[in-house]
Amino acid sequence: MLDKMKPWKNTKNSSVLRDKIEVIKEQSIPAHVAIIMDGNGRWAKKRALPRIAGHHEGMKVVRKITKLANQLGIKRLTLYAFSTENWKRPKTEVDYLMKLPEEFLGTFLPELVEENVRVEMMGYKESLPSHTLKAIERAMNATKENNGLVLNFALNYGSRAEIVDGVKRVLDDYKRGIISEEMLNEDSFSTYLMTKNTPDPDLLIRTSGEIRLSNFMLWQLAYTEFWFTDVLWPDFNENHLLEAIEVYQNRQRRFGGV
Ligand code: IPE
Ligand code: IPE
Ligand code: MG
């Protein structure tokens, strides 16, 4: 179970953090932040704990970072929680990871509702255990009217499969006369992806020192700013997110222009 948690309204930011937040908010805030939350297993290993202890700790960080993202006015936070390749892991670990949404949302959902956060999910729902899907759908349903931060979990998500499936659906629509060759372009194709009608990430963060995408949002990250850190996900905190945004604010995005 989750450690006892105080509701958000009772968790005050320190005054140093509050000041930092104010400074960061003076400049442009990335509308969509995507995070590859990596390093839970190594965090646990360093402490001679089972890997699942790292996942449990990582879940608490999700809560902290969601709260800050919402405070900063980030519109969308996409968190890579489980990839289509993560099924290769030992069954006990996979089983635990599939229980995490229930554990997280079981405690956290009332706060998300109260804080105007909307829960969404992208990934292959069909192959998720029904208890996992039920927890997510319950949260999506309970928060569907909220119009604050969108907390989008990438769960059983894989970008190559997403693109191939998108192409298959284009072919299907082509056969049915819904789309013509002339109509197919980058904008229309992107509506066949799981991210349809949502803007691409402005900032991608990956923790744990790995400098790779691991099949995450290959299409959507074409012009995203990347920020990598050696910090393991369970050690990631508010200051790290603020640092990443500060770096982002000092980048020059050219999108191919001058
Ligand atoms: C990220 O942590 C969480 C998931 C992939 C589900 P890892 O479990 O990959 O941790 P490391 O990379 O083994 O340290
Ligand atoms: C990427 O991390 C997937 C998630 C964070 C959910 P992995 O730990 O699975 O990636 P690799 O195996 O190091 O590339
Ligand atoms: Mg990993």
Side-chain angles (χ1 to χ4, degrees):
M1 272 311 287
L2 269 181
D3 301 345
K4 279 194 204 85
M5 284 182 168
K6 290 189 246 152
W8 273 355
K9 53 182 183 218
N10 296 336
T11 50
K12 296 225 163 46
N13 289 326
S14 75
S15 62
V16 180
L17 193 60
R18 270 205 307 275
D19 291 349
K20 270 197 194 174
I21 292 172
E22 287 321 307
V23 172
I24 292 284
K25 280 175 90 169
E26 280 165 19
Q27 289 185 58
S28 84
I29 296 289
H32 183 182
V33 176
I35 307 183
I36 303 175
M37 310 182 288
D38 199 12
N40 294 350
R42 278 163 283 169
W43 182 93
K45 194 173 178 206
K46 266 169 63 182
R47 288 160 180 79
L49 294 169
R51 292 178 56 86
I52 60 170
H55 297 314
H56 179 82
E57 199 62 26
M59 180 182 66
K60 296 196 243 167
V61 178
V62 170
R63 177 191 191 230
K64 256 198 300 211
I65 294 308
T66 301
K67 180 188 169 186
L68 178 58
N70 199 27
Q71 281 178 344
L72 286 168
I74 290 170
K75 300 273 179 262
R76 194 174 189 86
L77 179 64
T78 297
L79 301 179
Y80 204 8
F82 193 90
S83 76
T84 44
E85 288 71 40
N86 287 148
W87 297 105
K88 293 178 196 157
R89 296 184 178 203
K91 186 176 181 308
T92 46
E93 184 174 348
V94 169
D95 285 350
Y96 184 75
L97 288 166
M98 288 299 147
K99 278 195 199 107
L100 271 185
E102 283 153 280
E103 200 173 331
F104 175 75
L105 293 163
T107 310
F108 199 19
L109 185 56
E111 291 176 35
L112 294 171
V113 173
E114 191 178 331
E115 296 293 321
N116 197 25
V117 172
R118 192 166 85 230
V119 176
E120 287 184 2
M121 177 210 146
M122 65 173 188
Y124 291 94
K125 291 185 176 158
E126 316 80 64
S127 29
L128 290 175
S130 60
H131 61 94
T132 313
L133 192 56
K134 232 160 86 187
I136 299 266
E137 284 180 339
R138 187 171 151 252
M140 284 169 56
N141 209 33
T143 60
K144 66 172 190 283
E145 308 290 342
N146 288 355
N147 57 12
L149 172 78
V150 175
L151 176 58
N152 180 34
F153 287 104
L155 194 62
N156 196 20
Y157 172 84
S159 188
R160 286 186 168 181
E162 175 194 33
I163 293 170
V164 171
D165 287 338
V167 171
K168 285 184 182 168
R169 286 193 296 114
V170 169
L171 288 173
D172 203 43
D173 281 355
Y174 178 77
K175 279 187 243 160
R176 296 195 294 154
I178 294 168
I179 191 166
S180 65
E181 193 179 335
E182 297 70 46
M183 281 157 75
L184 186 63
N185 55 37
E186 292 179 11
D187 283 341
S188 61
F189 181 69
S190 64
T191 67
Y192 286 86
L193 299 174
M194 292 177 185
T195 46
K196 55 175 174 291
N197 305 322
T198 64
D200 293 335
D202 299 291
L203 172 64
L204 171 82
I205 296 172
R206 183 170 188 153
T207 58
S208 88
E210 309 297 358
I211 315 294
R212 57 174 170 262
L213 293 178
S214 304
N215 203 14
F216 190 51
M217 301 184 91
L218 304 178
W219 170 278
Q220 296 86 345
L221 294 172
Y223 268 106
T224 302
E225 296 297 325
F226 289 7
W227 188 78
F228 296 99
T229 176
D230 288 340
V231 173
L232 303 174
W233 178 250
D235 291 326
F236 193 83
N237 63 31
E238 288 92 343
N239 289 307
H240 299 117
L241 178 59
L242 293 173
E243 188 187 332
I245 295 176
E246 205 182 338
V247 169
Y248 167 87
Q249 289 176 332
N250 288 304
R251 297 264 179 93
Q252 254 194 20
R253 302 182 77 184
R254 283 187 283 272
F255 301 99
V258 284

